[in-house]
Amino acid sequence: MKKYIFSSKKSGKYRKSPTTNKHKVSFSQLVLEIIKSSDIILEILDARFIEKTRNADMEKIIKSQAQKIIYVLNKADLAKVSEIKQEFDMEKIEPYVWFSCVTSLGRKRLREMLKVEVSKMKLDRDAQIGVIGYPNTGKTSLINVLARSKGAGTSPTPGFTKTIQKI
């Protein structure tokens, strides 16, 4: 027997169902699912704050499962690339690509990198590419630029996209 609760926030008789949010999956479970189901992982980093937007724990999991990871330094149009290259050891994040969703900088290079990696895998199906990263690093914008369509909704609000999407 299902229990339904009808109430109103306006009347003040609003109460949450005891089963509310049971359908939501935790963030760590979502990330693990993306890692396991993907052939290549794109970790999206903010080019202005590379170290602050990296997740070492996620990277360890990816490497322990022998997955291929490509670092995408997004928002490159807002960063001073020459200064970053002098201050940051770029060898720590090989392979990487400078990317801008606004100017499409790096789009062609990233697509070529993906094609090369997929051809090395010799899959008999379409490659699954996972996109992970902290909120507001530009994950959905990057997906839309690569797909050349607005397949994923975007918002300046952190945490707007919270589910796995197949595009």
Side-chain angles (χ1 to χ4, degrees):
M1 180 176 151
K2 290 187 176 183
K3 184 176 181 180
Y4 297 98
I5 298 174
F6 298 98
S7 59
S8 170
K9 288 183 181 181
K10 291 182 181 178
S11 69
K13 296 180 181 178
Y14 174 75
R15 35 178 210 168
K16 284 188 173 181
S17 167
T19 59
T20 301
N21 294 335
K22 294 245 178 176
H23 64 281
K24 291 190 175 181
V25 180
S26 75
F27 173 75
S28 58
Q29 287 176 326
L30 281 175
V31 171
L32 289 174
E33 188 177 331
I34 290 169
I35 292 170
K36 288 178 183 175
S37 66
S38 300
D39 301 310
I40 300 171
I41 306 289
L42 299 179
E43 184 175 1
I44 313 305
L45 307 174
D46 191 320
R48 301 166 295 174
F49 315 107
I50 296 172
E51 276 301 322
K52 291 180 181 178
T53 53
R54 282 182 77 187
N55 189 324
D57 295 333
M58 246 184 341
E59 291 173 15
K60 285 179 189 173
I61 293 169
I62 294 166
K63 290 175 183 174
S64 72
Q65 295 196 11
Q67 297 281 50
K68 179 65 180 174
I69 185 169
I70 297 174
Y71 299 94
V72 180
L73 305 174
N74 198 15
K75 303 183 183 183
D77 56 316
L78 302 175
K80 295 179 180 174
V81 176
S82 58
E83 287 181 18
I84 293 170
K85 285 182 177 179
Q86 289 176 352
E87 296 172 6
F88 186 76
D89 181 15
M90 300 305 287
E91 291 179 8
K92 285 198 243 179
I93 57 170
E94 285 284 339
Y96 68 91
V97 60
W98 294 96
F99 199 89
S100 170
C101 294
V102 176
T103 64
S104 294
L105 169 78
R107 181 180 58 87
K108 184 177 179 181
R109 183 164 184 257
L110 181 57
R111 290 176 75 92
E112 287 172 1
M113 288 173 79
L114 291 171
K115 285 178 185 177
V116 167
E117 292 303 324
V118 169
S119 68
K120 287 180 187 176
M121 293 178 187
K122 298 178 183 173
L123 300 171
D124 57 346
R125 58 174 169 72
D126 288 339
Q128 300 290 319
I129 302 186
V131 180
I132 58 174
Y134 281 112
N136 279 16
T137 53
K139 296 177 296 294
T140 50
S141 296
L142 176 123
I143 291 168
N144 291 336
V145 168
L146 288 177
R148 294 183 177 152
S149 68
K150 190 167 185 195
T154 59
S155 170
T157 307
F160 177 74
T161 309
K162 294 183 179 181
T163 58
I164 293 176
Q165 299 180 34
K166 292 192 177 189
I167 299 172

